[in-house]
Amino acid sequence: MPVDLNAPLPACLALIGAWALIGAAGLLRPSSVRFAGRTLFPLGAIVGLGLAAVAAVGLARPAEQVVLAIGLPDLPFHLRRDALASVFLVMLGAAAAGISLFAAGYFRRGEGTPPGLLCFQYHLFLASMGLVLLADDAYAFMVAWESMALASYFLVVSQHRIPEIRRAGFLYFVVAHVGAISLLLCFGVLQGGSWLFTFDAMRAASLAPGAATLAFALALIGFGAKAGLVPLHVWLPEAHPAAPSPVSALMSGVMLKTAVYGTLRVTFDLLGEPHWSWGLVPLAVGLGSAFYGVVFAAVQTDMKRLLAYSSVENLGLAFAGVGLAIVFHGVGMRALAVLATIAAIYHCVNHAFMKSLLFLGTGAVLHATGERNLGRLGGLLRRMPWTAWIVLVGVLAIAGLPPLNGFVSEWLLLQAFLFSSEVPVNFIDMLLPLCAAVVALCAALAGYVMVKFYGVIFLGQPREAALARAHDCGWLERLGMLWLAAGCIALGLFPAQVVAVLGEVAGGLLGEVPPRPAAPWWLLVPLPDREASYGPLAFLLVAAAVIVVTAVVVRAVYHQRVRRSAAWDCGFARLDARMQDTAEGFGQPIRNIFQPFFRIQRELPDPFDAEPRYRVTVGDRIWGYAYVPLGALVRRLADLAAYVQRGRIATYLLYSFLTLLTLLALVLWNGPRS
Amino acid sequence: MERTAILTQLLEMGAAVALAPLFLGWVTQCRAWLQNRSAPPVWLPYRAIRKLFHKDAVLAQDASPLFRIAPYVVFGTMVVAAAIIPSMSTLPLNRAADAIALVGLFATARVFMSLAAMDVGTAFGTFGARREMMVGFLAEPALLMVIFVASLISQSTALPVISEALATQALGLYPSLAFTAVAFTLVLLAENARIPVDNPATHLELTMIHEAMLLEYSARHLALMEWAAALKLFNYACIGFALFLPWGLATGAAGPQALALAIPALLAKLAVAGLGIAVIETLSAKLRVFRVPEFLAAAFLFAVLGMLVHQLLGA
């Protein structure tokens, strides 16, 4: 098939199809680890790389559409690739390449679902995420969205013999479907009376303000459920630990971003002209989620739950960026709206790399030690140096430290917030800059969380004897993680180039391409008329030079002598691993400072206990306040429904008979008039 | 032009590295005077650093490479921060990082220091790291809010632009800056492990924050860490000057005579600032660790008040 580089959509589709085929091939030999691991997953990684490359070519090309006659007879799939879809496709492809490489070495026999079947679900998941990004009618979108949810559900419950994992999967399934129903209703409103469900028709439809607001609210609920915004975040900390690590990486790193994509698509593309005040909702919910997520991440003792809460935080920040963009767009400050959108998309891409990397790192640790509990890990830097050093890159990136990538998007977001005092709406112009304080607090807390995560797992003394047998991961796993770490570094060191690309994308979406400020290539200048710039490469080079000069000078002038001895610890000789700070201990300041957020249950030992026990559990208040009553309500309604459903055939026959009578009556009533 | 710019840049970095221990010694000396003790010589930090460089380094058996590279990273970060802050003149590297990125750089140093403190796995080291991160996550947003207020006034987050705008302002005094100056002082004390948050002279491990993280370090590694701490204090003082005492900076276009004026101006400011820190440290007692969040919340609140005042008065 000749590939036309000016129209990369067919090539994208072919690659997505290739993913589906690779998945199907897994079914040929479902129990062969070698076939799935050594052949299919690496192939999937290559397809991912190809997709990223093809979509990157498409970034600068005009939008293109295609109609595929698959599905129901009168409902063909409309597909469209534009710049926004291309950015997210690049992200999907690039992140999937690293994750698939890792997965090639990760899956083993005897861990739940057979590897061939896992390979099928995994690649179907990838393909459906690709289709979500390309869908151009509500029907195709919902089919892709639902297959994405289903495929990931089966991946989450791959170890379905464990009851907690089944429960986690069920919770994920329920929340995903609440979201899906909301989206379905949203598209129902968006068609605006034309009863045409292509996105083109929705773009053309002009909605009444009330209907538009309703559509926006429904979209926000639907996508918010997928993104894990508070209060719909409860499934994330359950599903991520339950899923195998590459799947967690894919869900957290890529799938959550489809929600940001969808929100941008519906708000700016399908609805067209959002009202500025809508933006306040995603802004408030986003900031709330960011704060809530990071505070809860700080007190977790399970490494994957910690990362799941950290995802809640990061998605919250991305939605805050989207909200800010809507506000700016609505009041006509287009250049700043573009800046906020760039910040949101940049954060999504960054998060795809760094969070996937961290989840893969936990996978490597899990395989080496069999432990997810932070209280039983420690000192792995010496046993698993490859994993530890690569994960360090991800940790520094997600903690928002320059010169890595996490900092760039937070910097852009803060810059956007800084100019929100110029929004020409009273009161809002005072409130918005204060929101920057929340962003700053979340960024700083993320640093706290990540020091805890890295310090407790990889540094210090091993907390269990079994950790001495931990081994580093294999070369495929290292390669996958290295690829993602390289992405984190590149996205951090060349922000000007990334922002230039994202500027075109956001500009195209918002209908205004901002002028490119004149600046040297190594310097990021987001807004031409403001004196704010950031050039990580410059100060990284200076820092490296200073470090090298210092080391050389110290060596030349003094000496390099080193002696090894026991740790000093202020002269205490009998140091052991249990004297280190634990994960609970590291979370203690946060527990104290933000006490009202948590539902804390303590079990303290008595001085006279023969076997003293100390246990503290930290729960989510939202679960008790919202979900438990909701669950009880649903149960009560179900009990009411049970009155009708007695299980006796005679009753059911009576129902049928009565229905028939009613229908006949209706026909008779309406008949003579027609 | 290009060559003079690079020369000035190197000169300013060198000046910061050289002056930082002197500033620390000055603060210690003022403190001793105020507390009616006989003061150590102002050169004491230099001697301590020199002595440490001569010693053999002793590393814990389990110390990883991370532990060994951390002092270099922390020191390098602080030197780069000194290269970015306009302490005497506006510099070519000023553009590479604005005030927000500067806060990020400080965070990088803090994270490396905390990770290194957790590396050996001693009880004191890990709780030092925990406390340092606690102080950090509360102080960092407060510092960012301080910078935000100054940026709102000058419409930029670049420090040279901020100082220039504030130095050539029409208004004599910004009420919002008064609030943020208080906030900044509180943050400076907390971030540099001064009383009332931490006591640089303490020998009681249980109350330590900064020192607890350095307990396993010795010789050249410790020297670099101590020097980096001195540089951090110097850098914070210079940020304070850029925001609240922006006069006497040589701008890029000015010639060498402006720089000749800038050096005594900086020294005078440092002398006053050192005395100020010593007065605060003498007048206050160390807080319990549990009270530190309240202290920093007050800093945050002052900065937010400054922002509200700016929004309400437009000044």
Side-chain angles (χ1 to χ4, degrees):
Chain A
M1 185 182 74
V3 177
D4 180 7
L5 277 183
N6 280 319
L9 177 56
C12 288
L13 282 177
L15 287 166
I16 290 173
W19 262 339
L21 277 181
I22 292 171
L27 294 178
L28 294 177
R29 296 170 66 186
S31 60
S32 164
V33 178
R34 273 192 73 82
F35 181 55
R38 289 290 182 262
T39 312
L40 295 180
F41 275 106
L43 267 180
I46 292 168
V47 171
L49 268 186
L51 182 64
V54 169
V57 167
L59 274 170
R61 304 278 184 273
E64 48 187 320
Q65 283 175 308
V66 72
V67 180
L68 287 188
I70 48 177
L72 296 178
D74 275 346
L75 286 168
F77 274 22
H78 295 74
L79 300 170
R80 182 167 179 272
R81 185 209 56 78
D82 58 3
L84 181 67
S86 297
V87 168
F88 280 87
L89 279 175
V90 171
M91 185 193 83
L92 166 68
I99 299 170
S100 294
L101 266 185
F102 184 92
Y106 183 83
F107 288 117
R108 314 274 156 95
R109 199 190 306 276
E111 289 187 357
T113 312
L117 195 53
L118 255 174
C119 171
F120 173 65
Q121 296 162 353
Y122 178 93
H123 286 97
L124 211 59
F125 184 33
L126 285 176
S128 54
M129 282 195 282
L131 272 187
V132 163
L133 300 175
L134 288 173
D136 197 39
D137 65 272
Y139 170 62
F141 186 90
M142 287 314 294
V143 168
W145 188 260
E146 280 300 280
S147 24
M148 181 174 87
L150 277 177
S152 53
Y153 166 76
F154 282 113
L155 286 167
V156 166
V157 296
S158 75
Q159 297 197 24
H160 50 84
R161 288 187 204 286
I162 304 172
E164 286 98 68
I165 289 184
R166 283 204 303 274
R167 275 195 47 198
F170 176 71
L171 185 63
Y172 169 48
F173 206 60
V174 169
V175 178
H177 280 85
V178 170
I181 289 168
S182 183
L183 285 184
L184 209 57
L185 294 175
C186 166
F187 288 129
V189 178
L190 275 175
Q191 48 82 22
S194 67
W195 298 104
L196 290 172
F197 286 90
T198 60
F199 284 178
D200 273 337
M202 293 180 192
R203 283 184 197 104
S206 58
L207 295 182
T213 311
L214 180 66
F216 178 74
L218 286 168
L220 199 62
I221 295 171
F223 292 122
K226 189 57 86 184
L229 294 185
V230 173
L232 293 168
H233 66 289
V234 283
W235 64 272
L236 266 153
E238 304 297 329
H240 282 334
S245 291
V247 175
S248 315
L250 214 50
M251 285 172 71
S252 191
V254 186
M255 184 186 78
L256 301 189
K257 310 308 165 3
T258 58
V260 179
Y261 164 81
T263 312
L264 286 172
R265 173 71 74 201
V266 168
T267 313
F268 289 114
D269 192 13
L270 303 188
L271 280 167
E273 288 296 319
H275 191 258
W276 69 265
S277 60
W278 297 354
L280 298 180
V281 181
L283 185 63
V285 173
L287 288 176
S289 304
F291 185 64
Y292 199 88
V294 75
V295 164
F296 269 84
V299 298
Q300 296 308 311
T301 53
D302 177 316
M303 58 181 178
K304 290 180 87 176
R305 279 179 82 96
L306 183 148
L307 291 183
Y309 273 115
S310 154
S311 292
V312 174
E313 180 224 342
N314 282 290
L315 266 289
L317 288 180
F319 269 86
V322 173
L324 197 59
I326 296 173
V327 173
F328 281 141
H329 188 76
V331 297
M333 297 162 78
R334 297 293 163 93
L336 288 171
V338 170
L339 179 64
T341 314
I342 293 174
I345 302 178
Y346 206 147
H347 200 67
C348 287
V349 177
N350 286 340
H351 187 244
F353 280 89
M354 51 205 189
K355 188 50 71 63
S356 306
L357 173 56
L358 292 185
F359 266 119
L360 296 185
T362 60
V365 170
L366 194 60
H367 261 181
T369 64
E371 269 305 331
R372 279 199 339 242
N373 188 342
L374 290 171
R376 302 214 180 109
L377 293 165
L380 290 177
L381 177 62
R382 288 175 278 280
R383 307 263 166 247
M384 320 173 59
W386 275 92
T387 310
W389 287 104
I390 300 172
V391 166
L392 181 63
V393 174
V395 161
L396 296 178
I398 206 166
L401 300 178
L404 290 167
N405 60 349
F407 178 76
V408 185
S409 42
E410 278 167 15
W411 187 81
L412 288 169
L413 194 59
L414 283 172
Q415 291 289 350
F417 267 112
L418 190 61
F419 298 113
S420 58
S421 63
E422 293 164 21
V423 169
V425 186
N426 272 335
F427 191 60
I428 298 298
D429 61 343
M430 290 174 57
L431 211 57
L432 284 182
L434 286 184
C435 294
V438 183
V439 177
L441 185 62
C442 291
L445 269 167
Y448 188 98
V449 171
M450 283 303 136
V451 167
K452 167 178 168 169
F453 174 80
Y454 194 78
V456 174
I457 297 177
F458 293 106
L459 303 176
Q461 302 292 329
R463 290 180 175 78
E464 296 280 315
L467 296 184
R469 289 190 299 277
H471 55 87
D472 214 338
C473 53
W475 65 274
L476 275 170
E477 286 150 295
R478 285 178 206 171
L479 211 59
M481 289 199 287
L482 271 175
W483 164 254
L484 295 172
C488 289
I489 294 171
L491 284 167
L493 288 186
F494 303 101
Q497 286 68 27
V498 182
V499 166
V501 170
L502 294 183
E504 299 283 329
V505 174
L509 183 68
L510 270 61
E512 165 157 335
V513 178
R516 191 88 60 83
W521 64 272
W522 52 272
L523 202 61
L524 168 62
V525 180
L527 294 166
D529 51 337
R530 321 270 181 174
E531 280 269 353
S533 52
Y534 171 65
L537 202 58
F539 70 70
L540 179 69
L541 287 179
V542 174
V546 170
I547 290 170
V548 169
V549 167
T550 315
V552 169
V553 166
V554 168
R555 184 184 198 122
V557 178
Y558 301 101
H559 56 86
Q560 281 291 84
R561 287 194 292 275
V562 165
R563 218 149 37 83
R564 290 273 179 176
S565 112
W568 181 50
D569 203 26
C570 301
F572 187 75
R574 278 173 301 172
L575 184 69
D576 74 42
R578 292 191 55 199
M579 291 175 195
Q580 303 172 90
D581 212 347
T582 55
E584 286 91 351
F586 219 89
Q588 185 265 353
I590 306 287
R591 267 207 324 266
N592 268 3
I593 298 172
F594 301 108
Q595 208 155 26
F597 282 85
F598 306 116
R599 197 164 46 85
I600 301 176
Q601 288 167 322
R602 273 205 187 81
E603 190 185 318
L604 295 175
D606 199 62
F608 306 104
D609 277 351
E611 283 182 359
R613 274 166 58 87
Y614 172 79
R615 180 199 288 272
V616 89
T617 49
V618 181
D620 198 331
R621 278 197 191 273
I622 289 183
W623 186 257
Y625 285 149
Y627 283 83
V628 172
L630 199 66
L633 182 71
V634 170
R635 177 155 293 228
R636 265 211 302 285
L637 289 177
D639 283 345
L640 282 182
Y643 279 112
V644 196
Q645 211 172 15
R646 280 301 165 88
R648 289 180 56 185
I649 294 202
T651 332
Y652 291 151
L653 283 175
L654 182 66
Y655 291 154
S656 319
F657 183 62
L658 286 178
T659 314
L660 212 60
L661 279 185
T662 322
L663 288 175
L664 276 173
L666 270 174
V667 169
L668 283 178
W669 183 259
N670 283 338
R673 266 197 276 174
S674 60
Chain B
M1 179 55 222
E2 194 64 9
R3 192 182 294 166
T4 42
I6 291 173
L7 266 179
T8 334
Q9 178 78 65
L10 287 176
L11 175 88
E12 208 153 307
M13 282 162 79
V17 173
L19 278 180
L22 184 66
F23 181 52
L24 193 64
W26 170 244
V27 176
T28 318
Q29 197 168 41
C30 289
R31 221 159 66 136
W33 285 337
L34 285 167
Q35 295 166 356
N36 221 0
R37 293 185 278 124
S38 60
V42 76
W43 314 109
L44 189 66
Y46 292 104
R47 284 193 208 158
I49 288 172
R50 187 166 155 269
K51 182 183 74 182
L52 285 173
F53 271 126
H54 274 294
K55 291 192 169 190
D56 278 15
V58 182
L59 285 180
Q61 245 124 29
D62 294 328
S64 70
L66 183 72
F67 186 77
R68 292 179 70 169
I69 61 170
Y72 293 94
V73 172
V74 173
F75 183 75
T77 315
M78 285 304 157
V79 176
V80 170
I84 287 164
I85 302 165
S87 55
M88 290 186 265
S89 58
T90 51
L91 300 167
L93 255 185
N94 285 158
R95 298 197 70 196
D98 65 346
I100 300 175
L102 203 61
V103 176
L105 272 181
F106 285 126
T108 310
R110 175 168 52 238
V111 164
F112 263 95
M113 203 185 264
S114 305
L115 289 178
M118 294 181 83
D119 184 57
V120 180
T122 58
F124 290 127
T126 42
F127 86 48
R130 184 219 288 186
R131 287 176 178 176
E132 170 78 5
M133 290 312 291
M134 181 188 81
V135 171
F137 92 75
L138 292 163
E140 201 180 301
L143 182 59
L144 270 176
M145 291 317 280
V146 169
I147 287 164
F148 257 50
V149 177
S151 318
L152 281 176
I153 293 172
S154 59
Q155 291 298 320
S156 167
T157 51
L159 272 177
V161 180
I162 294 176
S163 330
E164 207 171 314
L166 294 180
T168 56
Q169 58 193 326
L171 209 60
L173 185 75
Y174 283 92
S176 52
L177 280 188
F179 282 101
T180 45
V182 175
F184 181 78
T185 314
L186 300 185
V187 170
L188 182 145
L189 293 172
E191 282 275 40
N192 288 287
R194 316 299 301 184
I195 291 175
V197 174
D198 191 3
N199 185 355
T202 184
H203 294 289
L204 180 60
E205 296 88 350
L206 283 173
T207 65
M208 286 176 177
I209 299 178
H210 178 77
E211 295 294 316
M213 293 195 294
L214 306 184
L215 282 174
E216 294 302 318
Y217 276 114
S218 61
R220 58 174 178 277
H221 302 125
L222 183 59
L224 284 175
M225 282 294 201
E226 298 283 3
W227 206 341
L231 259 171
K232 189 176 179 188
L233 183 63
F234 181 87
N235 284 338
Y236 265 85
C238 287
I239 295 177
F241 302 150
L243 296 181
F244 307 111
L245 298 170
W247 302 283
L249 276 185
T251 49
Q257 60 273 44
L259 202 61
L261 272 178
I263 294 170
L266 176 67
L267 289 176
K269 288 183 212 169
L270 282 175
V272 174
L275 190 63
I277 294 175
V279 169
I280 296 172
E281 283 201 283
T282 308
L283 291 181
S284 47
K286 192 185 169 307
L287 291 172
R288 289 172 69 209
V289 171
F290 301 120
R291 300 285 303 277
V292 170
E294 293 168 28
F295 178 82
L296 286 165
F300 188 65
L301 208 63
F302 272 116
V304 169
L305 274 180
M307 179 172 270
L308 283 178
V309 167
H310 171 80
Q311 301 284 359
L312 284 173
L313 304 181

